[in-house]
Amino acid sequence: MNSARWHARIECGRQIGAGFLVTGRKVLTCAHVIADSGAAPVTVTFPHGAGAVAVPARVVSHGGWGGRPTDPGDLAVLELDEDAPVDPAAFAPADAAFGEPPRKLVAYGFPRGYDEGTLAEYRATAAQLIGGEWIQLEAWNGHGQPLEAGFSGAAVALAGTGEVVGMVTATGGRGVRNGRMLPTHVMARYWPELGERLPTPAHEDADRDRLRVLVAKAARAGLDCSPQRLYLDAAGPFGPPVPPEGFDSLWAAAWYVLCELDDPESVTRFADRLDALLDAPRTGAAARHARPDWSPILVEIGRSGAGGDQVVVEVSAYSAGRRHPVDSRTLAHAELRPYIRERIDEAFSHLAPDTDELIAFALPREWLNWPVAQWESGPDDPTPLGCSYPLVVTDHARRRGGLRHRLTRRWQGIDAGANPLVHRVECESGEDPRKLRLRLRAADVAGFAAPPAAEHSRPRFDTALTKPVPVLLWPRSGCGGEHAGAWPDEAADKGDGGCAGSAFLDAIGPYVAGVTPAELPRHILSLRETADAADDPDGHWARDVQLLWDDPRCFPDPHTTTTHLHSPVA
């Protein structure tokens, strides 16, 4: 450490602190050290360099520190007018500060009376981040130099090698032998350029460089995506969860993958997902960044208890967070469609003109494959209902209890900031539902090759429905002749012997890539319109796409039971 000439003394007004050279012209220090830079000049001195002359510097980057000791982002980047006459600091891997026995760490600061600087010996208390930001430091022994004023911004380095593992951001003062440092991987959140200099032993340099290039490309393109979702996809079902503080940027998630995940394939998965999102078309609905202001018209259908042909129907409109009941009654199957068409027309009177209408059918699980999107829009309008409005289905059971609570949290997490990729569930995969449960833990969209009532698909479909997967997609007719669960009066077998379900997944994946979950109902409306207008609508891969979509925030007051006003059970 005595020969490490990259240590710097920083002065700004009456404040004196430390810093260290990281490139030919750039020096890192604490933001609170140069807090008065708007009114006072900033100077940098390398006490071990030739001449040890103070040179002017300007602040070129700031971590966003808010001014209080506990505010995050206490980092600033200074730039010199010309290259410093010393070599920059070298860095150790992120976990090098920890171990058994403890590693001795040293910091070089400039407390009162030590213009030339002095050393303090410390150790890291634990690898646990305090507030998602800092590592706690404690004195190596009971005597020697404590961390005090003048050490803020000092590099914390490994004794013996001088490789940097962090920067002092908080000192204990005279007589107090603890402090805090900002570890290098957290510093890189606030200044991504630092990441190019930090070693990541678990990952190849080429993989790291590719990831860095993609993150920079995403930033330039203004890509609207969720760092949390990208991280979870990269970590896989057995990887560590998102840290409590989350990720406030794409780079923060990428750097966490580089530093915290040992699986060498995790960087490849992250980069591949990001590359796919960058290549996805960003036109029409996919180009919008605002979350739609959905005002749903909810059609709830359930068994009546009055006979096999009887159903209970209730229609409601949701506007400005309030439910407006329209009508409820018990009907025979043959009366269902005209009644629902009329009630939907009535429900529109409750919607504000500047909101986005959404038709939602809440159905028992065994009826989720009903062709509600194919029903005619009106007695004089043969347009399929799903080609007139954004239309979705949802499962009665997902609208109450603990699953509703978990779905709400999931939607709050992804909101409009995620770009879903379809997690495929093949029709004949034979995947154990327990393994599927783990695979879908990070899924925003699950795509099924077969409809829910198909015998070979039902266990895996039930698994997805009982987990907080926000969106499910499938073709109603499925593949291989498995078309159980269809509406009673339509043909049961539309299969041609091939795996139409796999072809559906091959097509739907690229189509929804880059579309936020909140936008999917409108995007699927466009897809249904395209299929309906095709020269051969029955041959179009999306002719009978079914979308299960249920953001609980759109339905703030669901029923606690499926019993309705006119039900004989009631």
Side-chain angles (χ1 to χ4, degrees), residues 24-376:
R25 296 189 181 189
K26 290 180 179 175
V27 176
L28 294 184
T29 188
C30 289
H32 76 259
V33 171
I34 50 87
D36 295 331
S37 60
V42 179
T43 62
V44 176
T45 305
F46 296 99
H48 300 292
V53 176
V55 296
R58 60 186 177 276
V59 180
V60 294
S61 185
H62 192 285
W65 179 68
R68 297 175 301 179
T70 55
D71 285 339
D74 190 4
L75 177 142
V77 183
L78 311 180
E79 187 171 50
L80 310 176
D81 289 336
E82 55 186 37
D83 286 351
V86 298
D87 292 329
F91 293 87
D95 60 353
F98 317 103
E100 287 296 335
R103 301 291 300 271
K104 180 187 289 189
L105 307 176
V106 289
Y108 197 97
F110 301 88
R112 184 184 298 274
Y114 291 91
D115 291 349
E116 75 286 1
T118 188
L119 288 168
E121 297 180 338
Y122 274 73
R123 76 181 88 195
T125 303
Q128 173 68 47
L129 288 178
I130 299 173
E133 188 89 356
W134 305 280
I135 293 293
Q136 181 169 312
L137 299 174
E138 58 186 35
W140 183 255
N141 51 44
H143 55 83
Q145 174 66 49
L147 292 179
E148 56 183 325
F151 274 90
S152 292
V156 180
L158 300 175
T161 70
E163 294 173 312
V164 176
V165 294
M167 179 179 72
V168 176
T169 56
T171 60
R174 290 190 178 275
V176 179
R177 297 188 174 276
N178 59 31
R180 289 182 178 180
M181 78 170 180
L182 205 62
T184 51
H185 70 278
V186 175
M187 295 167 67
R189 296 181 194 169
Y190 301 111
W191 189 49
E193 187 177 329
L194 180 63
E196 301 176 20
R197 303 185 59 83
L198 302 183
T200 53
H203 306 289
E204 297 290 338
D205 288 345
D207 294 335
R208 183 186 65 185
D209 292 344
R210 178 190 177 219
L211 183 57
R212 178 180 57 78
V213 169
L214 287 171
V215 170
K217 181 179 178 182
R220 290 193 302 271
L223 183 66
D224 183 13
C225 65
S226 167
Q228 280 73 236
R229 295 272 70 77
L230 280 170
Y231 169 77
L232 288 171
D233 285 340
F238 302 107
V242 174
E245 68 273 15
F247 303 118
D248 60 2
S249 69
L250 192 57
W251 173 251
W255 185 246
Y256 199 87
V257 170
L258 285 168
C259 290
E260 304 294 339
L261 302 187
D262 294 330
D263 179 5
E265 294 300 316
S266 60
V267 172
T268 301
R269 288 192 293 268
F270 193 105
D272 286 348
R273 296 280 192 184
L274 185 55
D275 202 8
L277 294 176
L278 286 165
D279 287 342
R282 310 274 312 159
T283 58
R288 293 181 53 185
H289 296 289
R291 182 175 177 268
D293 183 16
W294 293 121
S295 285
I297 295 173
L298 179 66
V299 181
E300 299 179 83
I301 306 176
R303 290 189 174 84
S304 73
D309 189 46
Q310 301 291 303
V311 295
V312 176
V313 188
E314 184 164 2
V315 180
S316 307
Y318 288 78
S319 180
R322 299 184 60 186
R323 175 178 173 266
H324 304 274
V326 176
D327 196 26
S328 174
R329 67 182 60 187
T330 300
L331 300 167
H333 274 287
E335 303 171 291
L336 191 58
R337 298 190 196 187
Y339 169 80
I340 288 176
R341 285 197 300 260
E342 294 172 4
R343 299 295 85 78
I344 287 177
D345 285 342
E346 291 179 25
F348 271 101
S349 65
H350 296 285
L351 304 187
D354 58 345
T355 57
D356 299 296
E357 73 275 2
L358 173 72
I359 310 298
F361 282 81
L363 304 168
R365 186 164 300 176
E366 59 272 25
W367 292 352
L368 287 175
N369 209 44
W370 277 12
V372 291
Q374 301 299 324
W375 292 356
E376 294 181 349

Side-chain angles (χ1 to χ4, degrees), residues 429-455:
S429 68
E431 183 174 12
D432 188 322
R434 294 172 297 179
K435 294 183 178 179
L436 177 64
R437 184 188 311 128
L438 288 176
R439 184 159 69 89
L440 294 181
R441 185 176 68 176
D444 293 333
V445 180
F448 285 77
E455 182 177 352

Side-chain angles (χ1 to χ4, degrees), residues 12-26:
C12 180
R14 301 181 63 181
Q15 185 75 36
I16 297 175
F20 54 104
L21 189 72
V22 292
T23 72
R25 296 189 181 189
K26 290 180 179 175

